[in-house]
Amino acid sequence: MSRVRRPFGAAVALAVCAAAALTSGATGPAAAAAGNDTRAAARQTPDEPSLTGAAKLKRKPGDDVHFAFNAHGFADKARGTFYVSHHMGKDWGGYFKGRIDCLLTGGPVAVATGIVTESHFEAAPGLPQVGDLKGKRFGFTVLDDGKKDRLGYSWALDGLPEKSVGPCQGSAPFETLEKGNYKVHHWMPSREATKATKG
């Protein structure tokens, strides 16, 4: 799909807190916030999916978008944190962060959703105004493809992150990265285990 170039469209950055996150080049406030939130995230066990890492999206100079994740656990048992920031020039920008509430993986692809617990954006003339996002659920999709990772988010067609989505719902990973890295660990429970849980 074509990239949305509206100020917050394909731009809101999820500099999400990640355990092994902030690898190749995600620095600054987003990295610091990610590092702080990581301490509060639950540890990963061998038998569970995970999505970790932080990165800056590939954009024009002055359009800085970061996404970071530290998500562990299967489906609605997932936990962890995310952090997103987006800044255009020196006047407009902000961040939002929250807790992960769902995670599913399939090979190198992860789809996660999280509920916003804190958000703050500075307004600027001629640029969109972002309202309070607290309590809304947004979705994220990551393709872990070595040095060619991609990312997508649920508000891709809306321009701004406004509409909540259902658990584990996201868009195709259409964004490319300038710096950083994501790591997807795929895991699914056996059919027998799933049936036992439901029973």
Side-chain angles (χ1 to χ4, degrees), residues 150-196:
R150 287 178 170 270
L151 180 143
Y153 36 84
S154 59
W155 61 92
L157 296 181
D158 299 325
L160 294 174
E162 298 176 329
K163 301 176 182 176
S164 290
V165 297
C168 279
Q169 292 184 3
S171 73
F174 61 95
E175 293 273 14
T176 56
L177 309 184
E178 179 179 322
K179 296 179 180 179
N181 181 62
Y182 295 116
K183 179 66 176 178
V184 174
H185 173 69
H186 172 60
W187 180 86
M188 291 283 285
S190 65
R191 292 182 182 274
E192 290 72 19
T194 302
K195 290 179 180 179

Side-chain angles (χ1 to χ4, degrees), residues 16-190:
V16 180
C17 8
L22 323 182
T23 50
S24 50
T27 59
N36 291 336
D37 287 346
T38 297
R39 298 200 226 0
R43 293 182 179 179
Q44 177 187 8
T45 65
D47 295 327
E48 66 176 6
S50 65
L51 166 61
T52 58
K56 177 182 179 181
L57 300 188
K58 190 174 183 179
R59 292 294 177 79
K60 293 180 178 179
D63 188 2
D64 297 323
V65 183
H66 299 262
F67 284 75
F69 309 91
N70 185 22
H72 304 271
F74 178 68
D76 59 356
K77 299 298 189 294
R79 73 273 181 200
T81 54
F82 69 87
Y83 183 99
V84 184
S85 70
H86 183 200
H87 295 269
M88 293 190 70
K90 298 181 179 179
D91 299 324
W92 185 92
Y95 71 91
F96 64 90
K97 63 181 181 178
R99 62 179 179 84
I100 296 294
D101 71 343
C102 191
L103 174 65
L104 291 174
T105 59
V109 177
V111 179
T113 48
I115 296 176
V116 178
T117 58
E118 182 181 328
S119 71
H120 177 76
F121 281 88
E122 294 290 342
L127 291 172
Q129 183 172 351
V130 180
D132 186 11
L133 304 178
K134 189 174 180 179
K136 295 187 177 183
R137 177 192 286 119
F138 297 116
F140 314 99
T141 306
V142 169
L143 169 63
D144 179 3
D145 190 20
K147 296 182 178 181
K148 298 180 179 180
D149 291 355
R150 287 178 170 270
L151 180 143
Y153 36 84
S154 59
W155 61 92
L157 296 181
D158 299 325
L160 294 174
E162 298 176 329
K163 301 176 182 176
S164 290
V165 297
C168 279
Q169 292 184 3
S171 73
F174 61 95
E175 293 273 14
T176 56
L177 309 184
E178 179 179 322
K179 296 179 180 179
N181 181 62
Y182 295 116
K183 179 66 176 178
V184 174
H185 173 69
H186 172 60
W187 180 86
M188 291 283 285
S190 65

